[in-house]
Amino acid sequence: MIKVGIIGGAGYTAGELIRLLINHPDVEIIFVHSESNAGNKITDIHTGLFGETDLIFTSETPFDEIDLLFFCTAHGDTRKFIESHNLPEELRIIDLSTDYRLDAPGNDFIYGLPELNRKYIIRSKRVTNPGCFATAIQLALLPLAKNLLLNNEIHVHAITGSTGAGQKPSQTSHFSWRNDNISIYKPFTHQHLDEIRQSLSKLQNSFSAPINFIPVRGNFSRGIFASLYLDCPVEIELLKDLYNSYYDDHNFTFLTDKMPDLKQVVNTNKCLLYLEKHDNKLLIVSVIDNLLKGASGQAVHNMNLLFGLHERVGLHLKPSAF
């Protein structure tokens, strides 16, 4: 059994991670750390797990009892924790925050997008999980980058559910504001752009075109629906061949011939892609669950890779299609 600990156990991503791990046949959760909830039942916070687990939040961190440590912490807190604690050298880490996603001197984390870095993840000890928007957008573009076809401006419009803002209430996640509403935030400046460009440049080092990204807050709970378009002279059938070839040996990303919708992927670790040509314009649609493929499901996928398990173990999930 893989013995795991979780730091930062009270948020949405932690709740989904716990749900996946307690149903994973090869995992035992040793502790779920939360200073503010220590002594409380997991189900006091993650009420959807009532009847599924008797785990208690703890302020203790017995690192010597675990093989893998997940960080579901606020951005900036993972780095602080690692720098202030003496972690065992052999302890493997998967971080769901932004802290180690960008290459930098001394950063020994592997960027954990399996469709890009699977062969490196398998050999690593420390993995940094991609952002949710970054996951949806990169999966839409990786086959083009591999074939050196990103030579024009890329336009991205992506709408996300309210869980993308985290569990802590805010003005823009409050029900009375979010319901029956829609709004743009961080146009052209979203923080995930840096990791997207970093990944695409590794496949196509000549890539320098602008990515015009408009993130949108949706009036639903979970999921990301991203639509991208760019100039591309390649015929649609050849493009479909390139995409099918790229994702042929990957277990969660699929090209569909019908325009996808969110309910096909919500509650799964899948990404569905759709391609359509209009004259010289290529339209790409990418849909994922922001909490699973965009966070906790991808973290479990990375865990399976780290420990030599089949990628789909613990991730056979039914979409909320109706």
Side-chain angles (χ1 to χ4, degrees):
M1 298 290 282
I2 304 167
K3 298 182 184 299
V4 308
I6 299 172
I7 304 294
Y12 287 137
T13 56
E16 287 295 83
L17 181 60
I18 294 166
R19 176 173 73 93
L20 295 175
L21 294 178
I22 61 177
N23 289 290
H24 194 293
D26 299 294
V27 170
E28 179 184 359
I29 300 177
I30 301 301
F31 67 84
V32 180
H33 178 272
S34 174
E35 293 285 355
S36 59
N37 290 288
N40 296 329
K41 294 179 180 179
I42 296 292
T43 52
D44 288 344
I45 300 297
H46 304 299
T47 55
L49 295 177
F50 190 84
E52 303 294 326
T53 180
D54 295 321
L55 284 167
I56 304 293
F57 288 109
T58 180
S59 59
E60 301 298 316
T61 53
F63 299 128
D64 59 333
E65 297 179 18
I66 61 173
D67 307 301
L68 171 66
L69 184 62
F70 288 97
F71 283 91
C72 297
T73 44
H75 304 313
D77 287 351
T78 301
R79 186 181 296 274
K80 292 176 185 176
F81 190 99
I82 289 176
E83 290 176 352
S84 62
H85 289 76
N86 186 22
L87 301 180
E89 185 176 344
E90 294 304 311
L91 180 63
R92 299 184 187 187
I93 294 173
I94 296 177
D95 177 28
L96 280 75
S97 80
T98 63
D99 292 14
Y100 294 98
R101 290 178 189 164
L102 300 181
D103 294 341
N107 180 3
D108 60 351
F109 280 73
I110 295 296
Y111 188 71
L113 186 65
E115 292 83 355
L116 175 67
N117 284 331
R118 179 168 56 191
K119 64 182 179 181
Y120 300 110
I121 295 167
I122 290 170
R123 302 196 298 265
S124 69
K125 290 183 181 178
R126 296 184 171 191
V127 175
T128 175
N129 236 50
C132 52
F133 272 134
T135 295
I137 293 168
Q138 288 176 90
L139 293 176
L141 296 173
L142 290 178
L144 297 179
K146 182 180 179 182
N147 290 279
L148 309 182
L149 292 173
L150 295 179
N151 302 308
N152 300 282
E153 277 190 305
I154 302 167
H155 303 274
V156 184
H157 178 278
I159 183 167
T160 185
S162 58
T163 52
Q167 191 174 40
K168 186 177 181 180
S170 68
Q171 179 182 349
T172 57
S173 63
H174 193 285
F175 177 81
S176 59
W177 186 90
R178 191 99 177 199
N179 187 51
D180 296 328
N181 201 6
I182 193 169
S183 64
I184 288 173
Y185 71 108
K186 297 182 181 178
F188 306 106
T189 62
H190 195 277
Q191 63 272 16
H192 289 180
L193 280 168
D194 290 338
E195 60 186 280
I196 294 168
R197 183 169 291 282
Q198 175 179 268
S199 295
L200 296 177
S201 296
K202 288 183 178 179
L203 290 180
Q204 181 178 339
N205 59 21
S206 64
F207 174 63
S208 60
I211 303 174
N212 303 311
F213 177 29
I214 309 298
V216 181
R217 301 182 184 97
N219 63 343
F220 50 91
S221 296
R222 58 196 292 170
I224 290 176
F225 190 101
S227 55
L228 307 83
Y229 69 91
L230 68 157
D231 288 335
C232 182
V234 181
E235 295 296 323
I236 187 66
E237 293 306 320
L238 178 54
L239 288 169
K240 289 180 179 179
D241 288 343
L242 294 179
Y243 274 72
N244 281 322
S245 175
Y246 189 97
Y247 291 116
D248 179 61
D249 64 342
H250 291 282
N251 286 281
F252 296 103
T253 301
F254 306 95
L255 186 68
T256 174
D257 285 330
K258 295 181 179 179
M259 181 70 74
D261 57 68
L262 276 182
K263 283 193 172 184
Q264 290 176 267
V265 298
V266 169
N267 195 45
T268 79
N269 196 51
K270 290 189 293 188
C271 173
L272 294 185
L273 300 172
Y274 172 78
L275 306 180
E276 190 173 289
K277 282 295 293 288
H278 292 267
D279 297 325
N280 203 46
K281 288 284 189 292
L282 170 63
L283 169 67
I284 311 165
V285 175
S286 175
V287 291
I288 67 169
D289 183 318
N290 59 296
L291 290 180
L292 290 179
K293 183 58 174 166
S296 303
Q298 189 153 229
V300 172
H301 184 179
N302 282 321
M303 177 194 72
N304 288 341
L305 291 173
L306 286 176
F307 289 91
L309 303 176
H310 191 281
E311 295 180 32
R312 293 186 67 92
V313 176
L315 293 170
H316 292 276
L317 304 169
K318 181 187 180 297
S320 303
F322 49 83

